[in-house]
Amino acid sequence: MPSSTSSFAALWQLIRYARPHRARLVAATLCSVANKLFDVAPEILIGIAIDVVVRGQGSFVAGFGVTDPLHQVYLLGALTLAIWVFESVFEFAYLVLWRNLAQTLQHELRTSAYAHVQNLDLAYFEDRSSGGLVAVLNDDVNQLERFLNGGASELIQVVVTVIACGAVFFAISPQIAVLAFTPIPVILWGAFYFQRKAGPRYDVVREKVAVLSGRLANNLAGIATIKSFAAESRESARLDVESRAYVDANRRAIRLSSAFVPLIRMAILFGFLCTFVRGGQLVLEGHLQAGFYAVLVFLTQRLLWPLTRLADTVDLYERAMASTRRILALLGTPVQIRDTGTLAPAQPARGAVSLRNVHFAYANGAAVLHGVDLDVPAGTTVALVGATGGGKSSLIKLLLRFYEPTVGEILLDGEPLARYRLAWLRAQIGWVAQDVFLFDGSVRDNIAYGRAGASDDDIVAAAKAAEAHDFIMRLPQGYDTPVGERGVKLSGGQRQRLSIARALLKDPPILLLDEATSAVDNDTEAAIQRSLARLAHQRTVIVIAHRLSTIVYADQIVVVENGRIVERGRHGDLVRHGGVYAALWNVQTGEAAAVRE
């Protein structure tokens, strides 16, 4: 639903956000004001020139001591030249100031919003599409930039025009001023009416943009799946529906803004005719000088015709404020996992992990862990096994502080996780996920992500330890070979080995392995197992495994079922016990297991 926050409230919030740039904002505003004052001056000079031609030595200019009509014309010519020069200078100045301010603010908003998004909890991303977030960080910020580039100055200059022209009108003829200004309340009423009606419509437009962006991002990420199911036509149809929804939302807003322009034009025509007809009558009756009549006619056009652009400016303003509401709402999203810890020891963690009566439920209310107690001594390997959905991956996420336990606490080296600085805590943990994520870059870049500033020798050494060096050297450009978005140019096993190399380069005291060998062939699995054995040396390792053959030598095997620990022990003991683990082992081996210590 559209936000209830008014456009004026959004504008005020934006001004407060731009407070560090107050001097530039004031300078840009003053240049816009000065430019508009010089912009209306030529119309006044034209009227004064007509007065000089008609009245000669009795003209308005003669009152300043210049009595010769030719000299008066020269003076007016010099003033015209100076006015045009100053108008051009201030136009250049306000364009540069406003556009640079727009660039600065859009950069700061985008980077601030992105930095805030990175600090948001994992649950936030699980409930939203990445395409919608990209729409806010890119399209909404750009929409605001477009308004600051031109619309802000346009609004300021409309106000200045009304005030400046009004002062001249009332100075020359209050009667004509009242007639000429009669349409302005109608125009302003129309502008505010449009603003009130258009705001919710543009909120809907921005929402449709987010949905459309989400669909595009999702489909492009899943293009292989779409092709494998020959679903191109189906997806094109779905995109067509959402694109049409965006077009329809825009059309409803456009229909309203288009109705505003004819209203303004009719009001302007009334004001111009009043000035033209009544002013002419006063000249013929001898109550108004011809030169002043010319000034009023020209200024009426200067006053009223710019208001025809008010509809476009307000339209741009409403789009920008709808975007501002979305950007500021994103910036205002609270961070649940707060980095309030103070501990950041100079030495790496020993790696002793303890869970004390840990309960956990996701935001949707689904409870996944129930009173889990677990001790993992430093330097040992613990395997978590059990059916899918039992809560094993949730434990991994809690250890990384992607989430907080609902009840209970998790300790590292005897201290609650929340007492550690978040960056230090995560620097102690290496995570090799089942679904490996590689960034769009080279092989070298993706391995080096494990440790900023790593040397080429360190990168190669990590790749060799992960048994990835040989296949990397067979790639077209070796370590400089692009891996494609999410690593699509590599096989699953190759991506997994790069992920292990990345973890080896990080060299963490704690290693979390989430099904690191679940989707590879036997030879690749053997290579990965050798790499993991090197990686696990003298580290605390917590591994989630469905292939039980890969964890038979673990120091402790923990069976997790429906969010509870139902068995724990070494492989041989659990097989002899004949419980859940033994049943899993028998299913995988196809026979009663021989006891292996």
Side-chain angles (χ1 to χ4, degrees):
M1 293 295 292
S3 170
S4 60
T5 305
S6 72
S7 295
F8 294 113
L11 178 61
W12 179 244
Q13 287 179 288
L14 179 62
I15 292 172
R16 291 179 60 189
Y17 181 87
R19 189 176 299 166
H21 307 289
R22 182 183 300 169
R24 292 169 63 185
L25 181 61
V26 170
T29 300
L30 291 177
C31 287
S32 294
V33 171
N35 169 259
K36 183 50 62 176
L37 291 176
F38 282 110
D39 184 51
V40 300
E43 277 70 17
I44 298 175
L45 291 181
I46 292 172
I48 294 175
I50 293 173
D51 185 57
V52 168
V53 172
V54 173
R55 299 172 62 200
Q57 294 184 352
S59 70
F60 174 76
V61 177
F64 292 94
V66 183
T67 57
D68 183 81
L70 186 58
H71 290 166
Q72 294 177 22
V73 172
Y74 290 156
L75 176 61
L76 292 176
L79 287 174
T80 300
L81 175 62
I83 285 170
W84 278 90
V85 169
F86 280 111
E87 180 193 356
S88 299
V89 167
F90 283 112
E91 181 172 13
F92 171 78
Y94 88 70
L95 287 173
V96 169
L97 287 168
W98 278 114
R99 289 177 180 177
N100 282 337
L101 182 62
Q103 292 301 312
T104 300
L105 284 179
Q106 64 94 10
H107 167 72
E108 291 182 354
L109 277 169
R110 181 178 289 115
T111 53
S112 296
Y114 176 71
H116 183 71
V117 164
Q118 288 193 123
N119 290 326
L120 291 175
D121 318 306
L122 201 61
Y124 178 85
F125 299 95
E126 292 175 349
D127 293 335
R128 288 162 181 83
S129 73
S130 58
L133 287 172
V134 170
V136 175
L137 295 172
N138 191 44
D139 192 64
D140 282 323
V141 172
N142 289 342
Q143 191 71 50
L144 179 58
E145 178 198 0
R146 284 190 284 272
F147 169 69
L148 292 174
N149 269 338
S153 179
E154 187 73 28
L155 285 176
I156 292 169
Q157 291 191 329
V158 166
V159 173
V160 172
T161 300
V162 171
I163 294 173
C165 292
V168 175
F169 263 82
F170 279 97
I172 293 175
S173 174
Q175 180 186 148
I176 295 179
V178 171
L179 292 173
F181 275 70
T182 298
I184 290 182
V186 176
I187 293 170
L188 293 178
W189 172 83
F192 286 114
Y193 176 82
F194 167 73
Q195 179 268 326
R196 188 171 62 254
K197 293 293 186 182
R201 299 193 184 194
Y202 283 121
D203 283 335
V204 173
V205 170
R206 303 318 309 155
E207 289 175 3
K208 297 301 181 184
V209 168
V211 171
L212 185 58
S213 297
R215 170 63 60 194
L216 287 168
N218 189 62
N219 282 15
L220 291 174
I223 192 67
T225 302
I226 292 172
K227 287 181 175 294
S228 71
F229 284 93
E232 292 91 342
S233 297
R234 189 193 320 162
E235 291 301 331
S236 292
R238 293 171 69 182
L239 182 66
D240 181 75
V241 170
E242 286 166 2
S243 181
R244 287 182 184 277
Y246 167 65
V247 169
D248 290 342
N250 247 323
R251 282 175 175 166
R252 286 190 289 272
I254 291 169
R255 193 177 303 122
L256 183 63
S257 64
S258 298
F260 182 40
V261 174
L263 172 67
I264 289 180
R265 286 187 175 274
M266 294 306 296
I268 287 171
L269 176 62
F270 176 81
F272 181 76
L273 288 176
C274 287
T275 303
F276 187 78
V277 174
R278 183 54 185 159
Q281 290 176 342
L282 292 176
V283 172
L284 294 175
E285 294 169 359
H287 299 302
L288 183 67
Q289 298 296 332
F292 288 142
Y293 172 61
V295 169
L296 295 179
V297 171
F298 287 128
L299 281 185
T300 301
Q301 291 183 310
R302 177 62 68 183
L303 169 68
L304 297 178
W305 285 114
L307 294 176
T308 59
R309 297 197 303 272
L310 188 60
D312 293 332
T313 305
V314 173
D315 182 85
L316 189 61
Y317 167 78
E318 278 303 327
R319 289 177 183 269
M321 291 307 101
S323 293
T324 299
R325 285 190 288 272
R326 284 164 54 81
I327 297 167
L328 296 179
L330 178 59
L331 282 168
T333 303
V335 177
Q336 302 298 331
I337 308 295
R338 295 198 170 273
D339 189 10
T340 56
T342 57
L343 291 180
Q347 299 299 320
R350 290 187 297 106
V353 177
S354 298
L355 286 80
R356 297 283 182 264
N357 189 35
V358 171
H359 294 254
F360 176 66
Y362 287 101
N364 61 9
V368 292
L369 295 175
H370 310 276
V372 174
D373 290 291
L374 179 64
D375 286 307
V376 182
T380 63
T381 297
V382 171
L384 304 178
V385 303
T388 300
K392 301 183 297 298
S393 293
S394 296
L395 278 172
I396 296 290
K397 293 175 182 177
L398 290 174
L399 289 172
L400 284 161
R401 275 202 81 198
F402 289 162
Y403 297 93
E404 298 279 25
T406 309
V407 177
E409 64 178 356
I410 301 175
L411 309 177
L412 171 61
D413 294 342
E415 295 287 351
L417 294 188
R419 290 202 60 196
Y420 293 104
R421 294 294 302 272
L422 201 53
W424 184 90
L425 172 66
R426 289 175 180 166
Q428 310 308 303
I429 301 173
W431 181 34
V432 180
Q434 177 181 358
D435 182 17
V436 176
F437 185 91
L438 298 182
F439 294 92
D440 188 10
S442 67
V443 169
R444 186 191 314 278
D445 295 336
N446 276 279
I447 297 176
Y449 203 80
R451 190 174 79 225
S455 68
D456 286 347
D457 289 342
D458 291 337
I459 292 170
V460 171
K464 287 181 177 178
E467 300 198 19
H469 178 73
D470 291 342
F471 90 75
I472 292 173
M473 296 307 297
R474 290 194 296 270
L475 295 174
Q477 297 169 255
Y479 281 85
D480 295 317
T481 302
V483 302
E485 189 173 5
R486 299 182 66 90
V488 294
K489 294 184 179 181
L490 303 178
S491 70
Q494 289 172 333
R495 290 196 297 271
Q496 196 66 266
R497 291 195 218 186
L498 291 189
S499 176
I500 294 170
R502 187 163 60 189
L504 277 166
L505 189 63
K506 184 178 182 180
D507 194 24
I510 302 170
L511 183 63
L512 306 179
L513 305 175
D514 189 353
E515 279 302 311
T517 62
S518 63
V520 296
D521 57 61
N522 291 333
D523 290 340
T524 302
E525 179 187 353
I528 290 175
Q529 284 299 318
R530 291 192 296 270
S531 301
L532 293 178
R534 300 186 190 98
L535 190 58
H537 182 61
Q538 294 184 336
R539 303 176 201 273
T540 301
V541 179
I542 300 176
V543 55
I544 295 175
H546 286 106
R547 293 188 184 182
L548 302 185
S549 59
T550 64
I551 49 91
V552 294
Y553 295 108
D555 297 300
Q556 182 180 186
I557 297 172
V558 176
V559 182
V560 181
E561 194 172 74
N562 298 322
R564 292 180 171 84
I565 295 178
V566 295
E567 290 179 350
R568 69 181 83 200
R570 294 180 65 85
H571 171 76
D573 296 332
L574 292 174
V575 170
R576 279 194 299 268
H577 179 66
V580 176
Y581 180 82
L584 292 172
W585 178 256
N586 289 337
V587 168
Q588 290 195 13
T589 59
E591 58 184 14
V595 176
R596 297 171 60 182
E597 297 294 338

